[in-house]
Amino acid sequence: MSAGTERLLGELRRDLADGGLHGSFLVRDLETGEEIGIDPDVPFPVASLVKVPLALATLERMRRGELDGADAVEIPPGRMTTPGPTGLSRFRHPARIAVDDLLYLSTSMSDSHAADALFDLTPPSAVEAFLTRWGLSGLSVRHTMRELTETPVERFGSADTHLAYALAVDAGTRGRGHRVPQLDVSHANSGTARACVDLLQAVWRSRQDPPGTDAPVIHPEVAARVRDLMADNVVRHRLAPDFATDASTWSSKTGTLLNLRHEAGVVEHADGRSYAVAALTESRVAARVQPGADALMGQVARRLRDELRARWAPHG
Protein backbone atom coordinates (compact mmCIF):
# COMPACT_ATOMS: atom_id res chain seq x y z
CA MET A 1 0.00 0.00 0.00
CA SER A 2 1.41 3.40 -0.95
CA ALA A 3 1.97 6.16 1.59
CA GLY A 4 -0.70 8.23 -0.18
CA THR A 5 -3.27 5.45 0.18
CA GLU A 6 -2.40 5.00 3.86
CA ARG A 7 -2.89 8.73 4.43
CA LEU A 8 -6.25 8.61 2.66
CA LEU A 9 -7.49 5.68 4.73
CA GLY A 10 -6.40 7.38 7.94
CA GLU A 11 -8.21 10.56 6.93
CA LEU A 12 -11.39 8.67 6.04
CA ARG A 13 -11.34 6.77 9.34
CA ARG A 14 -11.13 10.11 11.18
CA ASP A 15 -13.99 11.52 9.08
CA LEU A 16 -16.17 8.53 9.96
CA ALA A 17 -15.33 8.82 13.66
CA ASP A 18 -16.03 12.56 13.65
CA GLY A 19 -19.37 11.87 11.96
CA GLY A 20 -20.37 9.33 14.61
CA LEU A 21 -20.04 6.33 12.29
CA HIS A 22 -18.23 3.02 12.48
CA GLY A 23 -17.95 1.67 8.96
CA SER A 24 -16.82 -1.21 6.80
CA PHE A 25 -16.18 -0.30 3.16
CA LEU A 26 -14.85 -2.06 0.08
CA VAL A 27 -14.52 -0.89 -3.51
CA ARG A 28 -13.37 -3.31 -6.23
CA ASP A 29 -12.49 -2.73 -9.87
CA LEU A 30 -14.53 -5.39 -11.64
CA GLU A 31 -12.08 -5.48 -14.55
CA THR A 32 -8.78 -5.85 -12.70
CA GLY A 33 -9.87 -7.16 -9.29
CA GLU A 34 -7.94 -4.38 -7.54
CA GLU A 35 -9.64 -3.18 -4.39
CA ILE A 36 -9.39 -0.73 -1.54
CA GLY A 37 -11.30 -0.74 1.71
CA ILE A 38 -11.73 0.06 5.37
CA ASP A 39 -12.22 -2.97 7.65
CA PRO A 40 -13.93 -4.94 4.84
CA ASP A 41 -14.06 -8.22 6.78
CA VAL A 42 -15.96 -6.98 9.84
CA PRO A 43 -19.41 -8.66 9.95
CA PHE A 44 -22.60 -6.62 10.23
CA PRO A 45 -26.29 -7.49 10.30
CA VAL A 46 -27.20 -6.83 6.66
CA ALA A 47 -30.88 -5.86 7.07
CA SER A 48 -32.51 -5.43 3.64
CA LEU A 49 -29.34 -6.27 1.70
CA VAL A 50 -30.50 -9.89 2.13
CA LYS A 51 -33.19 -9.16 -0.47
CA VAL A 52 -30.57 -9.46 -3.24
CA PRO A 53 -29.74 -13.14 -2.57
CA LEU A 54 -33.48 -13.70 -2.04
CA ALA A 55 -34.13 -12.32 -5.54
CA LEU A 56 -31.36 -14.46 -7.02
CA ALA A 57 -32.71 -17.63 -5.42
CA THR A 58 -36.30 -16.86 -6.46
CA LEU A 59 -35.29 -16.17 -10.06
CA GLU A 60 -33.17 -19.31 -10.23
CA ARG A 61 -36.16 -21.36 -9.12
CA MET A 62 -38.28 -19.62 -11.75
CA ARG A 63 -35.67 -20.43 -14.40
CA ARG A 64 -35.76 -24.08 -13.37
CA GLY A 65 -39.55 -24.17 -13.59
CA GLU A 66 -40.03 -24.68 -9.85
CA LEU A 67 -41.86 -21.36 -9.56
CA ASP A 68 -44.04 -19.50 -12.06
CA GLY A 69 -43.57 -15.76 -12.06
CA ALA A 70 -47.17 -15.27 -13.17
CA ASP A 71 -48.65 -17.16 -10.22
CA ALA A 72 -50.54 -14.85 -7.87
CA VAL A 73 -49.88 -14.93 -4.13
CA GLU A 74 -52.44 -13.91 -1.52
CA ILE A 75 -50.91 -11.13 0.57
CA PRO A 76 -52.48 -10.20 3.92
CA PRO A 77 -52.47 -6.51 4.87
CA GLY A 78 -49.36 -5.32 6.69
CA ARG A 79 -50.97 -2.43 8.57
CA MET A 80 -47.64 -1.10 9.77
CA THR A 81 -47.83 2.28 11.49
CA THR A 82 -44.23 2.88 12.62
CA PRO A 83 -42.03 5.14 10.45
CA GLY A 84 -39.98 3.49 7.72
CA PRO A 85 -41.68 0.50 6.08
CA THR A 86 -43.09 1.01 2.59
CA GLY A 87 -45.33 -0.77 0.10
CA LEU A 88 -47.40 -3.78 1.15
CA SER A 89 -46.38 -3.24 4.77
CA ARG A 90 -48.82 -0.31 4.78
CA PHE A 91 -51.67 -2.01 2.91
CA ARG A 92 -54.97 -2.08 4.79
CA HIS A 93 -56.60 -4.82 2.72
CA PRO A 94 -55.60 -8.21 1.27
CA ALA A 95 -54.10 -8.26 -2.24
CA ARG A 96 -53.18 -10.78 -4.94
CA ILE A 97 -49.76 -10.14 -6.48
CA ALA A 98 -47.75 -12.17 -8.99
CA VAL A 99 -44.41 -13.62 -7.90
CA ASP A 100 -42.65 -11.59 -10.61
CA ASP A 101 -44.13 -8.37 -9.23
CA LEU A 102 -43.22 -9.32 -5.67
CA LEU A 103 -39.61 -9.45 -6.87
CA TYR A 104 -39.84 -5.83 -8.02
CA LEU A 105 -41.49 -4.70 -4.79
CA SER A 106 -38.98 -6.57 -2.63
CA THR A 107 -35.79 -5.58 -4.47
CA SER A 108 -36.45 -2.19 -6.09
CA MET A 109 -38.91 -0.83 -3.50
CA SER A 110 -37.32 -2.66 -0.51
CA ASP A 111 -40.78 -3.86 0.53
CA SER A 112 -40.21 -6.29 3.41
CA HIS A 113 -43.80 -7.58 3.31
CA ALA A 114 -43.23 -8.60 -0.33
CA ALA A 115 -39.88 -10.14 0.62
CA ASP A 116 -41.55 -12.29 3.24
CA ALA A 117 -44.04 -13.54 0.65
CA LEU A 118 -41.01 -14.66 -1.39
CA PHE A 119 -39.35 -16.18 1.69
CA ASP A 120 -42.54 -18.20 2.20
CA LEU A 121 -41.83 -19.75 -1.21
CA THR A 122 -38.05 -20.05 -0.77
CA PRO A 123 -37.09 -20.08 2.93
CA PRO A 124 -33.84 -18.62 4.29
CA SER A 125 -32.08 -22.01 4.42
CA ALA A 126 -32.81 -22.57 0.72
CA VAL A 127 -31.53 -19.08 -0.17
CA GLU A 128 -28.29 -19.77 1.70
CA ALA A 129 -27.98 -23.13 -0.06
CA PHE A 130 -28.04 -21.33 -3.43
CA LEU A 131 -25.28 -18.98 -2.25
CA THR A 132 -23.20 -22.00 -1.26
CA ARG A 133 -23.81 -23.65 -4.64
CA TRP A 134 -22.62 -20.49 -6.39
CA GLY A 135 -19.46 -20.48 -4.28
CA LEU A 136 -20.43 -17.32 -2.40
CA SER A 137 -19.45 -17.29 1.27
CA GLY A 138 -19.59 -14.72 4.02
CA LEU A 139 -23.36 -14.06 3.87
CA SER A 140 -25.57 -15.82 6.42
CA VAL A 141 -29.31 -15.97 5.66
CA ARG A 142 -30.99 -17.05 8.89
CA HIS A 143 -34.45 -15.52 9.09
CA THR A 144 -37.21 -13.71 7.20
CA MET A 145 -37.83 -9.97 7.28
CA ARG A 146 -40.61 -10.33 9.88
CA GLU A 147 -38.04 -10.34 12.66
CA LEU A 148 -36.91 -6.88 11.58
CA THR A 149 -40.38 -5.52 12.43
CA GLU A 150 -40.10 -6.73 16.04
CA THR A 151 -37.42 -4.33 17.27
CA PRO A 152 -37.72 -2.01 20.29
CA VAL A 153 -38.99 0.74 17.95
CA GLU A 154 -42.30 -1.10 17.68
CA ARG A 155 -42.52 -1.53 21.47
CA PHE A 156 -42.03 2.10 22.43
CA GLY A 157 -44.55 4.83 21.76
CA SER A 158 -43.71 7.41 19.12
CA ALA A 159 -42.63 9.87 21.82
CA ASP A 160 -40.06 7.39 23.14
CA THR A 161 -38.59 6.13 19.86
CA HIS A 162 -35.27 7.72 20.80
CA LEU A 163 -34.96 5.14 23.58
CA ALA A 164 -34.89 2.34 21.00
CA TYR A 165 -32.06 4.06 19.14
CA ALA A 166 -30.17 4.65 22.38
CA LEU A 167 -30.47 0.93 23.15
CA ALA A 168 -29.21 0.09 19.65
CA VAL A 169 -26.17 2.32 20.14
CA ASP A 170 -25.28 1.30 23.69
CA ALA A 171 -26.15 -2.40 24.01
CA GLY A 172 -23.55 -3.95 21.71
CA THR A 173 -20.59 -6.11 22.75
CA ARG A 174 -16.97 -6.25 21.61
CA GLY A 175 -17.65 -9.54 19.82
CA ARG A 176 -20.38 -8.00 17.60
CA GLY A 177 -23.10 -9.43 19.81
CA HIS A 178 -26.04 -7.29 20.93
CA ARG A 179 -28.94 -7.27 23.39
CA VAL A 180 -31.20 -6.50 20.42
CA PRO A 181 -31.24 -9.82 18.48
CA GLN A 182 -31.62 -8.14 15.10
CA LEU A 183 -28.28 -6.39 15.70
CA ASP A 184 -26.42 -9.53 16.86
CA VAL A 185 -24.31 -10.92 14.01
CA SER A 186 -24.63 -14.45 15.36
CA HIS A 187 -28.43 -14.28 15.17
CA ALA A 188 -29.25 -11.87 12.35
CA ASN A 189 -28.86 -12.17 8.60
CA SER A 190 -25.26 -11.04 8.47
CA GLY A 191 -22.31 -10.50 6.20
CA THR A 192 -19.24 -8.43 5.41
CA ALA A 193 -18.50 -5.73 2.89
CA ARG A 194 -16.24 -8.23 1.11
CA ALA A 195 -19.03 -10.80 0.89
CA CYS A 196 -21.36 -8.15 -0.57
CA VAL A 197 -18.79 -7.18 -3.19
CA ASP A 198 -18.19 -10.85 -4.05
CA LEU A 199 -21.94 -11.22 -4.62
CA LEU A 200 -22.07 -8.11 -6.80
CA GLN A 201 -19.11 -9.33 -8.84
CA ALA A 202 -20.85 -12.65 -9.43
CA VAL A 203 -24.00 -10.86 -10.60
CA TRP A 204 -22.21 -8.40 -12.87
CA ARG A 205 -19.69 -10.86 -14.33
CA SER A 206 -21.98 -13.86 -14.62
CA ARG A 207 -21.33 -16.16 -17.58
CA GLN A 208 -22.29 -19.60 -18.84
CA ASP A 209 -20.32 -22.50 -17.38
CA PRO A 210 -17.32 -22.96 -19.71
CA PRO A 211 -17.15 -26.31 -21.49
CA GLY A 212 -15.43 -29.04 -19.51
CA THR A 213 -15.77 -27.38 -16.10
CA ASP A 214 -18.18 -27.77 -13.22
CA ALA A 215 -17.68 -24.27 -11.84
CA PRO A 216 -21.07 -23.09 -10.53
CA VAL A 217 -22.03 -19.60 -11.66
CA ILE A 218 -25.20 -17.55 -11.54
CA HIS A 219 -27.13 -18.06 -14.77
CA PRO A 220 -26.84 -15.00 -17.07
CA GLU A 221 -30.63 -14.57 -17.33
CA VAL A 222 -30.96 -14.58 -13.54
CA ALA A 223 -28.08 -12.16 -13.10
CA ALA A 224 -29.42 -9.81 -15.79
CA ARG A 225 -32.82 -9.56 -14.09
CA VAL A 226 -31.22 -8.78 -10.72
CA ARG A 227 -29.07 -6.08 -12.33
CA ASP A 228 -32.25 -4.54 -13.77
CA LEU A 229 -34.02 -4.68 -10.40
CA MET A 230 -31.08 -3.01 -8.67
CA ALA A 231 -30.90 -0.35 -11.38
CA ASP A 232 -34.55 0.47 -10.56
CA ASN A 233 -33.81 0.97 -6.85
CA VAL A 234 -35.98 3.88 -5.69
CA VAL A 235 -33.88 4.64 -2.59
CA ARG A 236 -31.45 7.23 -3.95
CA HIS A 237 -30.45 9.42 -1.00
CA ARG A 238 -27.43 7.51 0.36
CA LEU A 239 -24.66 6.62 -2.12
CA ALA A 240 -26.45 7.53 -5.34
CA PRO A 241 -25.69 11.29 -5.15
CA ASP A 242 -21.96 10.47 -5.25
CA PHE A 243 -22.10 7.89 -8.03
CA ALA A 244 -25.02 8.60 -10.39
CA THR A 245 -24.17 11.06 -13.18
CA ASP A 246 -24.94 11.57 -16.86
CA ALA A 247 -21.77 9.57 -17.58
CA SER A 248 -22.36 6.73 -15.09
CA THR A 249 -25.14 4.52 -13.77
CA TRP A 250 -25.59 3.41 -10.18
CA SER A 251 -27.42 0.15 -9.39
CA SER A 252 -27.77 -0.81 -5.76
CA LYS A 253 -29.65 -2.11 -2.75
CA THR A 254 -29.86 -0.34 0.59
CA GLY A 255 -30.34 -1.75 4.07
CA THR A 256 -31.54 0.18 7.12
CA LEU A 257 -32.29 -1.02 10.64
CA LEU A 258 -32.19 1.11 13.79
CA ASN A 259 -28.66 2.58 13.79
CA LEU A 260 -27.49 0.54 10.77
CA ARG A 261 -27.16 2.19 7.36
CA HIS A 262 -25.90 0.10 4.44
CA GLU A 263 -25.71 0.21 0.66
CA ALA A 264 -24.10 -2.11 -1.87
CA GLY A 265 -24.04 -1.50 -5.59
CA VAL A 266 -22.13 -1.12 -8.83
CA VAL A 267 -21.20 2.08 -10.63
CA GLU A 268 -20.71 1.66 -14.38
CA HIS A 269 -18.92 4.43 -16.27
CA ALA A 270 -19.33 5.43 -19.88
CA ASP A 271 -15.65 4.55 -20.49
CA GLY A 272 -16.41 0.92 -19.67
CA ARG A 273 -14.96 0.80 -16.17
CA SER A 274 -17.16 -0.58 -13.40
CA TYR A 275 -16.70 -0.76 -9.65
CA ALA A 276 -18.51 -2.75 -6.98
CA VAL A 277 -19.05 -0.77 -3.80
CA ALA A 278 -20.20 -1.93 -0.36
CA ALA A 279 -20.69 0.39 2.61
CA LEU A 280 -21.86 -1.11 5.91
CA THR A 281 -22.13 1.29 8.82
CA GLU A 282 -23.49 1.70 12.31
CA SER A 283 -24.11 5.07 13.92
CA ARG A 284 -23.21 6.07 17.45
CA VAL A 285 -25.89 8.77 17.36
CA ALA A 286 -29.25 7.82 18.89
CA ALA A 287 -31.48 9.31 16.21
CA ARG A 288 -33.59 7.90 13.36
CA VAL A 289 -33.06 10.72 10.86
CA GLN A 290 -29.38 11.36 10.11
CA PRO A 291 -28.91 12.86 6.64
CA GLY A 292 -25.35 13.76 7.55
CA ALA A 293 -24.51 10.09 8.09
CA ASP A 294 -25.99 9.17 4.71
CA ALA A 295 -23.96 11.90 3.01
CA LEU A 296 -20.77 10.90 4.83
CA MET A 297 -21.18 7.28 3.69
CA GLY A 298 -21.37 8.43 0.08
CA GLN A 299 -18.37 10.74 0.41
CA VAL A 300 -16.17 8.01 1.91
CA ALA A 301 -17.22 5.45 -0.72
CA ARG A 302 -16.66 7.99 -3.51
CA ARG A 303 -13.16 8.87 -2.34
CA LEU A 304 -12.23 5.20 -2.15
CA ARG A 305 -13.51 4.71 -5.70
CA ASP A 306 -11.63 7.80 -6.86
CA GLU A 307 -8.40 6.45 -5.36
CA LEU A 308 -8.87 3.12 -7.12
CA ARG A 309 -9.84 4.76 -10.41
CA ALA A 310 -6.76 7.01 -10.29
CA ARG A 311 -4.51 3.92 -10.32
CA TRP A 312 -5.94 2.95 -13.70
CA ALA A 313 -6.44 6.37 -15.29
CA PRO A 314 -2.79 7.07 -16.26
CA HIS A 315 -2.70 3.83 -18.20
CA GLY A 316 -6.18 4.05 -19.75
Side-chain angles (χ1 to χ4, degrees), residues 64-174:
R64 296 179 179 187
E66 298 171 6
L67 296 174
D68 188 334
D71 283 349
V73 177
E74 294 282 349
I75 307 295
R79 296 179 179 172
M80 291 289 294
T81 58
T82 53
T86 59
L88 300 178
S89 304
R90 302 237 174 228
F91 273 32
R92 295 176 178 270
H93 306 283
R96 284 174 53 83
I97 302 177
V99 172
D100 220 357
D101 294 326
L102 288 171
L103 276 167
Y104 168 73
L105 292 172
S106 172
T107 312
S108 303
M109 299 285 291
S110 202
D111 184 336
S112 292
H113 213 53
D116 275 338
L118 296 176
F119 269 129
D120 287 342
L121 298 173
T122 307
S125 59
V127 174
E128 186 160 310
F130 275 113
L131 293 176
T132 300
R133 178 182 181 276
W134 290 321
L136 296 168
S137 60
L139 285 169
S140 297
V141 185
R142 298 186 174 105
H143 59 74
T144 67
M145 305 306 295
R146 290 184 186 93
E147 290 199 30
L148 301 188
T149 65
E150 298 172 358
T151 71
V153 168
E154 286 70 38
R155 299 170 192 166
F156 289 108
S158 58
D160 296 320
T161 299
H162 66 284
L163 297 176
Y165 287 89
L167 179 63
V169 170
D170 296 333
T173 70
R174 290 181 179 272

Side-chain angles (χ1 to χ4, degrees), residues 6 18 23 48 68 147 164 184 187 190 195 205 275 305 308:
E6 288 184 354
D18 290 345
S48 286
D68 188 334
E147 290 199 30
D184 186 326
H187 174 83
S190 62
R205 296 303 176 206
Y275 300 84
R305 192 290 313 270
L308 198 56

